[in-house]
Amino acid sequence: ALASVAMRRIARIVTSRGEYTKPLSKGGATGGWVAEKAARAETDTPELQLFAPPMNEVYAMPSVTQKLLDMSDFDVENWLLEEINDVFVTLEGAAFISGNGVGRPKGIIDPDKMVADASWVYGKVGYIAGGHASLLNNADKLFDLQHALKPAYRQNAVWLMNDLTCSVIRKFKDGEGNYLWRPGLAENAPDTLLGKPIVIDDNMPDIGANAYPIAFGDFKRAYTIVDHVAGTRLIRDPYTTKGFVNFYVTKRLAGGISNYEALKFLKIATS
C-alpha cells in the first residue's frame, strides 16, 4: 500500500535506528589556472550543510468491543489494521508534499522557501512564473521549467502534478499541432511530457493563483524519506476501557528536501 504514495516511488528512502543525519555539500569550491612558478592564492572551500530531518510519529487508536472481536465471523483485527494503513498512506502522502514540519515531515512545497529561479540560492527552491495570474496557458513555460534544472539533474528528472493539472497539460500542442504529452505505450510505462515521465499525485495543488501545481526534478536527490527500522508498531490494549480493545498503532518517519538544487516548480503567477 505504501507504493501508492507517489513520493515513495520517486524519492530516496533510507532507514535509521535513531535520528538521521547526513552532511551535504552546498558547493562553493573554486580553483583556477596558474603558471609553473606563480604564487598560489588560497581558493574558496566548499561548504557543508547538515541534513537532519526530525523523526515524527503518525498514529491511530481505534477501539473495538471485545465481544465483536470474539464473536465476529471475519478477522476484525486484520481488517482494522488494513484500514489504519490506508490512513497512514493518506497522511504520509499529504505531508511529503505540503507538510509544515510541525510534528510531521516537511514537504516539498514550503511558501517561505520559494524564490524566482533567477534569485535562487542554496536553501531555497526555485520557481518559474507561469505568465498568468490564475491560469496555466503557456506551454513555453514548461520548456523554461525543464531547463531551469541543471543538466546533471535533468537526466533522471520527472514531472510531478495532480490529475487535474495533467488533464490541462494533455491539451498543449506545439506549433505543428502535435501534443506535448505522450502516452506510455508499453505496459505500466508512464506517460511523458517533453521526454520525461509524468508522476501523478493528487496531493499536489490545483492550478490557481500563486499555486505551485507542477514540480520537475530528480527526486531521488531532491527529497529523502527516512523510515524508522521498527516500522509500524501495534499495541493491543484491553485494559484501559473494560469491554473494549484499543489498537494503538504508531509509525516513525522523517522527510525533507535533501538537495535544493535538484527540484524546480512552476508557479501560477506573472512573476
Side-chain angles (χ1 to χ4, degrees):
L2 289 176
S4 64
V5 178
M7 287 292 288
R8 282 192 172 273
R9 298 196 301 272
I10 60 178
R12 179 171 178 257
I13 300 177
V14 298
T15 57
S16 178
R17 185 169 296 280
E19 296 291 344
Y20 179 82
T21 60
K22 182 180 180 180
L24 300 172
S25 175
K26 295 172 59 178
T30 60
W33 297 102
V34 67
E36 180 182 358
K37 296 182 179 180
R40 273 81 170 163
E42 181 180 342
T43 61
D44 292 337
T45 303
E47 294 183 60
L48 286 176
Q49 176 171 296
L50 195 63
F51 174 66
M55 277 287 181
N56 302 283
E57 186 173 296
V58 61
Y59 90 101
M61 193 169 64
S63 181
V64 178
T65 65
Q66 185 66 59
K67 181 178 180 180
L68 179 63
L69 289 171
D70 292 342
M71 304 185 68
S72 177
D73 289 335
F74 72 100
D75 189 340
V76 175
E77 183 171 331
N78 188 58
W79 164 78
L80 200 57
L81 292 176
E82 288 179 356
E83 292 292 313
I84 291 172
N85 187 65
D86 289 343
V87 171
F88 284 5
V89 165
T90 301
L91 291 170
E92 281 188 21
F96 295 149
I97 298 300
S98 57
N100 61 12
V102 180
R104 68 199 67 193
K106 192 86 162 177
I108 58 173
I109 298 178
D110 181 352
D112 294 334
K113 290 188 178 292
M114 300 295 193
V115 295
D117 198 56
S119 303
W120 181 86
V121 293
Y122 199 89
K124 300 291 185 179
V125 178
Y127 69 79
I128 297 296
H132 193 286
S134 59
L135 302 174
L136 177 56
N137 64 348
N138 190 341
D140 289 351
K141 295 299 180 180
L142 299 176
F143 289 90
D144 292 342
L145 176 57
Q146 191 172 53
H147 287 276
L149 201 66
K150 287 186 176 180
Y153 302 114
R154 284 207 301 267
Q155 182 176 356
N156 296 313
V158 300
W159 303 91
L160 185 67
M161 64 189 77
N162 70 26
D163 204 43
L164 284 173
T165 301
C166 186
S167 71
V168 173
I169 296 295
R170 287 186 66 169
K171 302 178 181 72
F172 283 1
K173 299 178 181 179
D174 63 20
E176 298 179 350
N178 299 309
Y179 287 105
L180 301 179
W181 175 89
R182 292 283 187 273
L185 298 178
E187 185 177 0
N188 296 324
D191 301 332
T192 61
L193 176 64
L194 305 180
K196 296 299 180 182
I198 300 173
V199 176
I200 300 298
D201 187 338
D202 280 334
N203 291 295
M204 286 290 285
D206 292 336
I207 295 170
N210 297 314
Y212 299 92
I214 300 176
F216 182 69
D218 181 345
F219 286 85
K220 284 281 190 291
R221 299 170 76 173
Y223 196 87
T224 299
I225 297 169
V226 184
D227 287 324
H228 192 271
V229 293
T232 303
R233 285 179 165 174
L234 166 66
I235 296 176
R236 208 171 183 271
D237 174 17
Y239 307 110
T240 300
T241 308
K242 299 300 184 288
F244 291 82
V245 176
N246 296 328
F247 290 89
Y248 181 52
V249 186
T250 62
K251 180 182 178 184
R252 288 191 177 93
L253 69 154
I257 294 178
S258 47
N259 186 332
Y260 288 91
E261 197 173 33
L263 178 65
K264 304 293 180 183
F265 279 88
L266 186 134
K267 181 181 181 181
I268 304 301
T270 54
S271 63

mmCIF file of all heavy atoms in Angstrom, residues 208-240:
data_model
loop_
_atom_site.group_PDB
_atom_site.id
_atom_site.type_symbol
_atom_site.label_atom_id
_atom_site.label_comp_id
_atom_site.label_asym_id
_atom_site.label_seq_id
_atom_site.Cartn_x
_atom_site.Cartn_y
_atom_site.Cartn_z
ATOM 1 N N GLY A 208 -4.064 27.466 -9.839
ATOM 2 C CA GLY A 208 -4.766 28.610 -9.268
ATOM 3 C C GLY A 208 -3.767 29.678 -8.902
ATOM 4 O O GLY A 208 -2.551 29.443 -8.899
ATOM 5 N N ALA A 209 -4.250 30.850 -8.615
ATOM 6 C CA ALA A 209 -3.377 31.987 -8.331
ATOM 7 C C ALA A 209 -2.372 31.662 -7.233
ATOM 8 O O ALA A 209 -2.745 31.176 -6.160
ATOM 9 C CB ALA A 209 -4.213 33.198 -7.928
ATOM 10 N N ASN A 210 -1.095 31.906 -7.540
ATOM 11 C CA ASN A 210 0.027 31.735 -6.609
ATOM 12 C C ASN A 210 0.252 30.296 -6.156
ATOM 13 O O ASN A 210 0.977 30.055 -5.182
ATOM 14 C CB ASN A 210 -0.142 32.639 -5.388
ATOM 15 C CG ASN A 210 -0.131 34.108 -5.749
ATOM 16 O OD1 ASN A 210 0.728 34.557 -6.519
ATOM 17 N ND2 ASN A 210 -1.089 34.872 -5.236
ATOM 18 N N ALA A 211 -0.349 29.330 -6.845
ATOM 19 C CA ALA A 211 -0.149 27.914 -6.518
ATOM 20 C C ALA A 211 1.091 27.383 -7.237
ATOM 21 O O ALA A 211 1.591 27.986 -8.189
ATOM 22 C CB ALA A 211 -1.376 27.099 -6.903
ATOM 23 N N TYR A 212 1.575 26.231 -6.768
ATOM 24 C CA TYR A 212 2.739 25.561 -7.371
ATOM 25 C C TYR A 212 2.296 24.176 -7.837
ATOM 26 O O TYR A 212 2.608 23.169 -7.198
ATOM 27 C CB TYR A 212 3.866 25.435 -6.349
ATOM 28 C CG TYR A 212 4.370 26.758 -5.821
ATOM 29 C CD1 TYR A 212 3.828 27.319 -4.664
ATOM 30 C CD2 TYR A 212 5.390 27.443 -6.467
ATOM 31 C CE1 TYR A 212 4.278 28.530 -4.174
ATOM 32 C CE2 TYR A 212 5.857 28.656 -5.979
ATOM 33 C CZ TYR A 212 5.299 29.192 -4.837
ATOM 34 O OH TYR A 212 5.760 30.398 -4.355
ATOM 35 N N PRO A 213 1.561 24.103 -8.946
ATOM 36 C CA PRO A 213 0.938 22.832 -9.323
ATOM 37 C C PRO A 213 1.854 21.831 -10.021
ATOM 38 O O PRO A 213 1.503 20.660 -10.140
ATOM 39 C CB PRO A 213 -0.179 23.275 -10.274
ATOM 40 C CG PRO A 213 0.367 24.524 -10.904
ATOM 41 C CD PRO A 213 1.164 25.205 -9.831
ATOM 42 N N ILE A 214 3.028 22.284 -10.508
ATOM 43 C CA ILE A 214 3.913 21.384 -11.244
ATOM 44 C C ILE A 214 5.322 21.467 -10.668
ATOM 45 O O ILE A 214 5.877 22.554 -10.487
ATOM 46 C CB ILE A 214 3.962 21.747 -12.748
ATOM 47 C CG1 ILE A 214 2.567 21.661 -13.369
ATOM 48 C CG2 ILE A 214 4.917 20.823 -13.497
ATOM 49 C CD1 ILE A 214 2.517 22.107 -14.818
ATOM 50 N N ALA A 215 5.881 20.303 -10.371
ATOM 51 C CA ALA A 215 7.280 20.218 -9.957
ATOM 52 C C ALA A 215 8.039 19.403 -10.993
ATOM 53 O O ALA A 215 7.483 18.486 -11.614
ATOM 54 C CB ALA A 215 7.395 19.557 -8.590
ATOM 55 N N PHE A 216 9.298 19.744 -11.175
ATOM 56 C CA PHE A 216 10.165 18.985 -12.079
ATOM 57 C C PHE A 216 11.501 18.825 -11.386
ATOM 58 O O PHE A 216 12.106 19.806 -10.956
ATOM 59 C CB PHE A 216 10.333 19.726 -13.416
ATOM 60 C CG PHE A 216 11.168 18.979 -14.420
ATOM 61 C CD1 PHE A 216 10.692 17.813 -14.999
ATOM 62 C CD2 PHE A 216 12.427 19.439 -14.793
ATOM 63 C CE1 PHE A 216 11.446 17.116 -15.929
ATOM 64 C CE2 PHE A 216 13.190 18.753 -15.722
ATOM 65 C CZ PHE A 216 12.702 17.584 -16.302
ATOM 66 N N GLY A 217 11.930 17.581 -11.224
ATOM 67 C CA GLY A 217 13.193 17.406 -10.526
ATOM 68 C C GLY A 217 13.643 15.962 -10.471
ATOM 69 O O GLY A 217 12.923 15.028 -10.833
ATOM 70 N N ASP A 218 14.867 15.799 -10.019
ATOM 71 C CA ASP A 218 15.427 14.482 -9.731
ATOM 72 C C ASP A 218 15.139 14.217 -8.261
ATOM 73 O O ASP A 218 15.899 14.599 -7.378
ATOM 74 C CB ASP A 218 16.939 14.497 -10.009
ATOM 75 C CG ASP A 218 17.593 13.141 -9.762
ATOM 76 O OD1 ASP A 218 16.950 12.280 -9.122
ATOM 77 O OD2 ASP A 218 18.746 12.953 -10.193
ATOM 78 N N PHE A 219 14.018 13.583 -7.992
ATOM 79 C CA PHE A 219 13.532 13.453 -6.619
ATOM 80 C C PHE A 219 14.385 12.517 -5.777
ATOM 81 O O PHE A 219 14.405 12.637 -4.553
ATOM 82 C CB PHE A 219 12.071 12.998 -6.623
ATOM 83 C CG PHE A 219 11.116 14.079 -7.013
ATOM 84 C CD1 PHE A 219 10.844 14.332 -8.348
ATOM 85 C CD2 PHE A 219 10.501 14.866 -6.052
ATOM 86 C CE1 PHE A 219 9.976 15.350 -8.722
ATOM 87 C CE2 PHE A 219 9.625 15.872 -6.410
ATOM 88 C CZ PHE A 219 9.364 16.126 -7.750
ATOM 89 N N LYS A 220 15.090 11.587 -6.418
ATOM 90 C CA LYS A 220 15.990 10.719 -5.658
ATOM 91 C C LYS A 220 17.079 11.542 -4.977
ATOM 92 O O LYS A 220 17.613 11.157 -3.940
ATOM 93 C CB LYS A 220 16.631 9.690 -6.591
ATOM 94 C CG LYS A 220 15.719 8.537 -6.998
ATOM 95 C CD LYS A 220 15.622 7.495 -5.901
ATOM 96 C CE LYS A 220 14.939 6.240 -6.375
ATOM 97 N NZ LYS A 220 13.521 6.398 -6.643
ATOM 98 N N ARG A 221 17.423 12.671 -5.559
ATOM 99 C CA ARG A 221 18.428 13.541 -4.973
ATOM 100 C C ARG A 221 17.785 14.716 -4.229
ATOM 101 O O ARG A 221 18.387 15.281 -3.316
ATOM 102 C CB ARG A 221 19.368 14.047 -6.069
ATOM 103 C CG ARG A 221 20.096 12.907 -6.770
ATOM 104 C CD ARG A 221 20.837 13.341 -8.012
ATOM 105 N NE ARG A 221 22.065 14.052 -7.687
ATOM 106 C CZ ARG A 221 22.962 14.426 -8.603
ATOM 107 N NH1 ARG A 221 22.754 14.152 -9.887
ATOM 108 N NH2 ARG A 221 24.053 15.071 -8.244
ATOM 109 N N ALA A 222 16.577 15.056 -4.615
ATOM 110 C CA ALA A 222 15.948 16.249 -4.043
ATOM 111 C C ALA A 222 15.289 15.998 -2.699
ATOM 112 O O ALA A 222 15.263 16.884 -1.843
ATOM 113 C CB ALA A 222 14.916 16.813 -5.023
ATOM 114 N N TYR A 223 14.725 14.809 -2.487
ATOM 115 C CA TYR A 223 13.917 14.575 -1.279
ATOM 116 C C TYR A 223 14.261 13.215 -0.683
ATOM 117 O O TYR A 223 14.351 12.212 -1.399
ATOM 118 C CB TYR A 223 12.431 14.626 -1.611
ATOM 119 C CG TYR A 223 11.532 14.782 -0.398
ATOM 120 C CD1 TYR A 223 11.231 16.037 0.102
ATOM 121 C CD2 TYR A 223 11.002 13.678 0.252
ATOM 122 C CE1 TYR A 223 10.413 16.192 1.217
ATOM 123 C CE2 TYR A 223 10.185 13.818 1.366
ATOM 124 C CZ TYR A 223 9.895 15.086 1.847
ATOM 125 O OH TYR A 223 9.091 15.231 2.960
ATOM 126 N N THR A 224 14.439 13.188 0.634
ATOM 127 C CA THR A 224 14.771 11.942 1.327
ATOM 128 C C THR A 224 13.707 11.625 2.372
ATOM 129 O O THR A 224 13.326 12.488 3.169
ATOM 130 C CB THR A 224 16.145 12.044 2.018
ATOM 131 O OG1 THR A 224 17.155 12.280 1.023
ATOM 132 C CG2 THR A 224 16.479 10.753 2.758
ATOM 133 N N ILE A 225 13.227 10.394 2.328
ATOM 134 C CA ILE A 225 12.294 9.876 3.324
ATOM 135 C C ILE A 225 13.057 8.917 4.228
ATOM 136 O O ILE A 225 13.778 8.037 3.742
ATOM 137 C CB ILE A 225 11.124 9.139 2.640
ATOM 138 C CG1 ILE A 225 10.312 10.109 1.775
ATOM 139 C CG2 ILE A 225 10.222 8.469 3.678
ATOM 140 C CD1 ILE A 225 9.320 9.423 0.857
ATOM 141 N N VAL A 226 12.927 9.115 5.528
ATOM 142 C CA VAL A 226 13.630 8.278 6.496
ATOM 143 C C VAL A 226 12.600 7.461 7.275
ATOM 144 O O VAL A 226 11.766 8.029 7.995
ATOM 145 C CB VAL A 226 14.473 9.126 7.470
ATOM 146 C CG1 VAL A 226 15.274 8.208 8.394
ATOM 147 C CG2 VAL A 226 15.402 10.071 6.709
ATOM 148 N N ASP A 227 12.643 6.160 7.139
ATOM 149 C CA ASP A 227 11.768 5.272 7.896
ATOM 150 C C ASP A 227 12.518 4.722 9.101
ATOM 151 O O ASP A 227 13.677 4.297 8.983
ATOM 152 C CB ASP A 227 11.300 4.095 7.034
ATOM 153 C CG ASP A 227 10.269 4.496 6.001
ATOM 154 O OD1 ASP A 227 9.440 5.368 6.314
ATOM 155 O OD2 ASP A 227 10.297 3.945 4.889
ATOM 156 N N HIS A 228 11.884 4.719 10.255
ATOM 157 C CA HIS A 228 12.486 4.091 11.431
ATOM 158 C C HIS A 228 12.484 2.583 11.241
ATOM 159 O O HIS A 228 11.533 2.020 10.680
ATOM 160 C CB HIS A 228 11.709 4.466 12.700
ATOM 161 C CG HIS A 228 12.427 4.102 13.960
ATOM 162 N ND1 HIS A 228 12.280 2.873 14.565
ATOM 163 C CD2 HIS A 228 13.312 4.800 14.719
ATOM 164 C CE1 HIS A 228 13.038 2.832 15.648
ATOM 165 N NE2 HIS A 228 13.667 3.987 15.763
ATOM 166 N N VAL A 229 13.571 1.926 11.675
ATOM 167 C CA VAL A 229 13.713 0.488 11.434
ATOM 168 C C VAL A 229 12.602 -0.327 12.081
ATOM 169 O O VAL A 229 12.311 -1.447 11.653
ATOM 170 C CB VAL A 229 15.092 -0.021 11.923
ATOM 171 C CG1 VAL A 229 16.204 0.559 11.092
ATOM 172 C CG2 VAL A 229 15.300 0.299 13.399
ATOM 173 N N ALA A 230 11.959 0.217 13.114
ATOM 174 C CA ALA A 230 10.907 -0.539 13.808
ATOM 175 C C ALA A 230 9.665 -0.710 12.951
ATOM 176 O O ALA A 230 8.835 -1.593 13.217
ATOM 177 C CB ALA A 230 10.545 0.162 15.117
ATOM 178 N N GLY A 231 9.509 0.130 11.926
ATOM 179 C CA GLY A 231 8.331 0.032 11.081
ATOM 180 C C GLY A 231 7.055 0.404 11.827
ATOM 181 O O GLY A 231 7.069 1.221 12.749
ATOM 182 N N THR A 232 5.956 -0.221 11.448
ATOM 183 C CA THR A 232 4.672 0.041 12.101
ATOM 184 C C THR A 232 4.527 -0.843 13.341
ATOM 185 O O THR A 232 4.724 -2.053 13.274
ATOM 186 C CB THR A 232 3.503 -0.238 11.129
ATOM 187 O OG1 THR A 232 3.667 0.567 9.968
ATOM 188 C CG2 THR A 232 2.174 0.082 11.779
ATOM 189 N N ARG A 233 4.188 -0.223 14.463
ATOM 190 C CA ARG A 233 4.048 -0.960 15.721
ATOM 191 C C ARG A 233 2.599 -0.972 16.178
ATOM 192 O O ARG A 233 1.873 0.005 16.006
ATOM 193 C CB ARG A 233 4.910 -0.312 16.807
ATOM 194 C CG ARG A 233 6.401 -0.589 16.661
ATOM 195 C CD ARG A 233 7.191 0.110 17.744
ATOM 196 N NE ARG A 233 8.544 -0.392 17.856
ATOM 197 C CZ ARG A 233 9.468 0.134 18.648
ATOM 198 N NH1 ARG A 233 9.168 1.168 19.411
ATOM 199 N NH2 ARG A 233 10.678 -0.373 18.697
ATOM 200 N N LEU A 234 2.211 -2.068 16.792
ATOM 201 C CA LEU A 234 0.846 -2.220 17.307
ATOM 202 C C LEU A 234 0.882 -2.614 18.779
ATOM 203 O O LEU A 234 1.577 -3.557 19.157
ATOM 204 C CB LEU A 234 0.097 -3.290 16.508
ATOM 205 C CG LEU A 234 -1.220 -3.804 17.117
ATOM 206 C CD1 LEU A 234 -2.254 -2.697 17.155
ATOM 207 C CD2 LEU A 234 -1.724 -5.013 16.348
ATOM 208 N N ILE A 235 0.156 -1.864 19.595
ATOM 209 C CA ILE A 235 -0.052 -2.233 20.996
ATOM 210 C C ILE A 235 -1.536 -2.511 21.177
ATOM 211 O O ILE A 235 -2.379 -1.657 20.894
ATOM 212 C CB ILE A 235 0.396 -1.110 21.953
ATOM 213 C CG1 ILE A 235 1.906 -0.874 21.820
ATOM 214 C CG2 ILE A 235 0.043 -1.460 23.395
ATOM 215 C CD1 ILE A 235 2.421 0.275 22.663
ATOM 216 N N ARG A 236 -1.842 -3.699 21.636
ATOM 217 C CA ARG A 236 -3.233 -4.119 21.847
ATOM 218 C C ARG A 236 -3.557 -3.885 23.320
ATOM 219 O O ARG A 236 -2.963 -4.505 24.196
ATOM 220 C CB ARG A 236 -3.350 -5.605 21.481
ATOM 221 C CG ARG A 236 -4.688 -6.078 20.994
ATOM 222 C CD ARG A 236 -4.525 -7.498 20.476
ATOM 223 N NE ARG A 236 -5.749 -8.026 19.918
ATOM 224 C CZ ARG A 236 -6.672 -8.670 20.591
ATOM 225 N NH1 ARG A 236 -6.514 -8.842 21.892
ATOM 226 N NH2 ARG A 236 -7.747 -9.135 19.988
ATOM 227 N N ASP A 237 -4.481 -2.975 23.585
ATOM 228 C CA ASP A 237 -4.763 -2.560 24.969
ATOM 229 C C ASP A 237 -6.194 -2.918 25.368
ATOM 230 O O ASP A 237 -7.139 -2.194 25.065
ATOM 231 C CB ASP A 237 -4.533 -1.045 25.086
ATOM 232 C CG ASP A 237 -4.943 -0.504 26.445
ATOM 233 O OD1 ASP A 237 -5.088 -1.301 27.396
ATOM 234 O OD2 ASP A 237 -5.121 0.725 26.557
ATOM 235 N N PRO A 238 -6.371 -4.044 26.092
ATOM 236 C CA PRO A 238 -7.723 -4.412 26.554
ATOM 237 C C PRO A 238 -8.011 -3.940 27.983
ATOM 238 O O PRO A 238 -9.046 -4.290 28.548
ATOM 239 C CB PRO A 238 -7.671 -5.945 26.514
ATOM 240 C CG PRO A 238 -6.251 -6.264 26.845
ATOM 241 C CD PRO A 238 -5.404 -5.116 26.333
ATOM 242 N N TYR A 239 -7.108 -3.171 28.564
ATOM 243 C CA TYR A 239 -7.199 -2.842 29.988
ATOM 244 C C TYR A 239 -7.778 -1.459 30.273
ATOM 245 O O TYR A 239 -8.498 -1.271 31.254
ATOM 246 C CB TYR A 239 -5.815 -2.940 30.643
ATOM 247 C CG TYR A 239 -5.140 -4.263 30.392
ATOM 248 C CD1 TYR A 239 -4.026 -4.349 29.567
ATOM 249 C CD2 TYR A 239 -5.620 -5.436 30.971
ATOM 250 C CE1 TYR A 239 -3.393 -5.561 29.317
ATOM 251 C CE2 TYR A 239 -5.004 -6.660 30.731
ATOM 252 C CZ TYR A 239 -3.889 -6.712 29.896
ATOM 253 O OH TYR A 239 -3.281 -7.914 29.656
ATOM 254 N N THR A 240 -7.434 -0.469 29.443
ATOM 255 C CA THR A 240 -7.804 0.911 29.757
ATOM 256 C C THR A 240 -9.309 1.083 29.863
ATOM 257 O O THR A 240 -9.821 1.708 30.795
ATOM 258 C CB THR A 240 -7.241 1.867 28.689
ATOM 259 O OG1 THR A 240 -5.815 1.737 28.672
ATOM 260 C CG2 THR A 240 -7.606 3.306 29.002
#
